[in-house]
Amino acid sequence: MTQNQQILLDNRPLGEAVESNFKLVRTEVPALQDGQVLVRHHYLSLDPYMRGRMNDSKSYAASQPLGEVMLGGTVGEVVESRHPQFAKGDQVVGMGGWQEYSVVDGSAPGMLRKVDTTHVPLSYYLGAVGMPGVTAWYGLVKIIAPKAGETVVVSAATGAVGSAFAALAKARGCRVVGIAGGPDKCRYATEELGFDVCIDYRLHTDVKAMSQALKQACPDGIDGYFENVGGYILDAVLLRTNAFARVAVCGMIAGYDGQPLPLQNPALILINRMKIEGFIVSEHMEIWPEALKELGTLVATGKLRPRETVAQGLAAAPAAFLGLLKGKNFGKQLVKLVTP
């Protein structure tokens, strides 16, 4: 029998998440039934939304059950198949979770998708040409819906979502301003991702300072904002928005430990007749083919050059995930599960 390592959610965080919330176990991979596919995962995706699911509280997604494998996106290779649409050796993307192998129902809609690695590396299907990239596409195209010449801003600018957002927005003729942490990330944003300006939030640690930095970076105001963070950064952005600005709310990483994130000046929403819309990209599967086609083209033509931070081995996943929540990663955070 094939041995499988898995990481379970062992207990719920009390405030900040810690490594002892997780538990590493070893199990045997069950024999396949008709219609099932066995996938060996090459990479596991770590994403901020996972932190919200660790809480036992009302959210847009069901809480992660205790004692079960942590949910997460994976890419890998089919090693055995009892389903006619999948063959041994197929490269696939799915939601295999924090484990080395998964047994998947090959007929379940959206659970497993074959991918082409001729021009796009396998790992990119967890980032730029995967859920994060499609997230950026939906927020920009369907909610912000920018016109050429407008100014758009994104927080967490050099992460998997933010980097895709920049390439997509530049392709639409926008002025693109990012907010990221540290000089290295800001330099990468402007020199490699195509941002016109990137603001280092570590140098602007309150609403007043961030608002001044945004005023300088966005002399014509802000027409669209893609929100990944919340807190004082959102307050500062709202102070600089133009009339009829659009805000796509994707994440609130500043509040994932359970603390409320009050708005300082919600009257600005009325004063500027703003549209603010939250969204979950998995609820909009109809746009994925169009989005993935554009994102794949941007990567293949070198217009989107994502970076990755790769932890080695499943046991490293909890520490890498906690680092992600504190901004320690550079670009997309992955865990490599196979050795050459």
Side-chain angles (χ1 to χ4, degrees):
M1 297 290 287
T2 302
Q3 290 289 309
N4 186 22
Q5 284 196 107
Q6 304 173 317
I7 290 183
L8 317 179
L9 181 62
D10 188 60
N11 54 83
R12 300 203 185 278
L14 300 174
E16 189 171 312
V18 293
E19 286 194 52
S20 59
N21 296 139
F22 305 95
K23 183 179 182 180
L24 178 67
V25 299
R26 287 175 172 80
T27 62
E28 291 184 343
V29 175
L32 291 190
Q33 306 295 315
D34 284 343
Q36 291 184 328
V37 180
L38 176 62
V39 180
R40 186 185 187 193
H41 304 148
H42 288 208
Y43 291 94
L44 164 68
S45 173
L46 298 180
D47 300 280
Y49 77 84
M50 297 171 176
R51 176 61 188 86
R53 293 188 59 128
M54 291 171 71
N55 298 332
D56 186 17
S57 58
K58 175 175 168 51
S59 185
Y60 56 80
S63 295
Q64 167 74 42
L66 290 176
E68 293 190 12
V69 176
M70 281 286 293
L71 184 75
T74 50
V75 289
E77 181 179 352
V78 173
V79 291
E80 185 182 350
S81 176
R82 296 188 64 179
H83 191 283
Q85 293 180 5
F86 295 94
K88 183 177 180 179
D90 284 348
Q91 305 282 292
V92 291
V93 58
M95 292 294 287
W98 293 30
Q99 56 183 342
E100 293 176 328
Y101 291 87
S102 62
V103 175
V104 184
D105 177 356
S107 299
M111 286 299 293
L112 204 61
R113 177 170 59 89
K114 286 189 274 191
V115 294
D116 182 358
T117 57
T118 306
H119 301 292
V120 177
L122 181 62
S123 60
Y124 282 21
Y125 286 103
L126 292 176
V129 194
M131 181 271 291
V134 179
T135 298
W137 192 97
Y138 187 89
L140 178 71
V141 176
K142 296 298 185 180
I143 297 177
I144 296 173
K147 301 180 181 68
E150 288 192 323
T151 297
V152 296
V153 178
V154 60
S155 52
T158 60
V161 175
S163 57
F165 181 91
L168 293 164
K170 291 306 291 184
R172 286 158 176 79
C174 296
R175 176 176 174 80
V176 188
V177 175
I179 301 171
D184 290 342
K185 289 183 178 180
C186 287
R187 192 178 309 112
Y188 166 63
T190 54
E191 293 181 1
E192 294 189 44
L193 293 178
F195 281 90
D196 293 286
V197 181
C198 187
I199 298 168
D200 184 352
Y201 68 78
R202 294 178 184 173
L203 301 179
H204 308 281
T205 56
D206 57 36
V207 173
K208 184 177 180 181
M210 179 58 70
S211 179
Q212 285 298 315
L214 285 164
K215 183 179 181 180
Q216 186 173 353
C218 309
D220 297 323
I222 296 170
D223 301 297
Y225 176 52
F226 192 104
E227 176 62 289
N228 289 309
V229 176
Y232 82 92
I233 291 177
L234 177 57
D235 284 317
V237 168
L238 294 185
L239 287 168
R240 296 296 165 200
T241 50
N242 293 325
F244 306 106
R246 293 82 66 197
V247 178
V249 183
C250 169
M252 291 276 180
I253 198 170
Y256 280 165
D257 289 337
Q259 296 299 316
L261 295 175
L263 275 178
Q264 285 193 9
N265 198 351
L268 290 167
I269 299 169
L270 171 61
I271 292 167
N272 284 331
R273 288 85 80 205
M274 296 168 62
K275 179 176 89 167
I276 299 181
E277 183 176 339
F279 72 100
I280 308 301
V281 75
S282 59
E283 296 176 350
H284 304 280
M285 297 306 293
E286 73 284 352
I287 61 93
W288 281 57
E290 182 183 357
L292 289 170
K293 182 179 180 181
E294 180 176 358
L295 291 158
T297 300
L298 287 170
V299 168
T301 57
K303 294 178 181 176
L304 172 52
R305 294 183 285 177
R307 275 205 196 179
E308 297 173 330
T309 297
V310 183
Q312 299 294 325
L314 185 66
F321 175 63
L322 300 178
L324 164 74
L325 297 177
K326 295 181 180 298
K328 293 182 179 179
N329 61 301
F330 204 132
K332 174 68 190 174
Q333 179 66 61
L334 299 168
V335 182
K336 188 174 184 180
L337 301 178
V338 296
T339 53

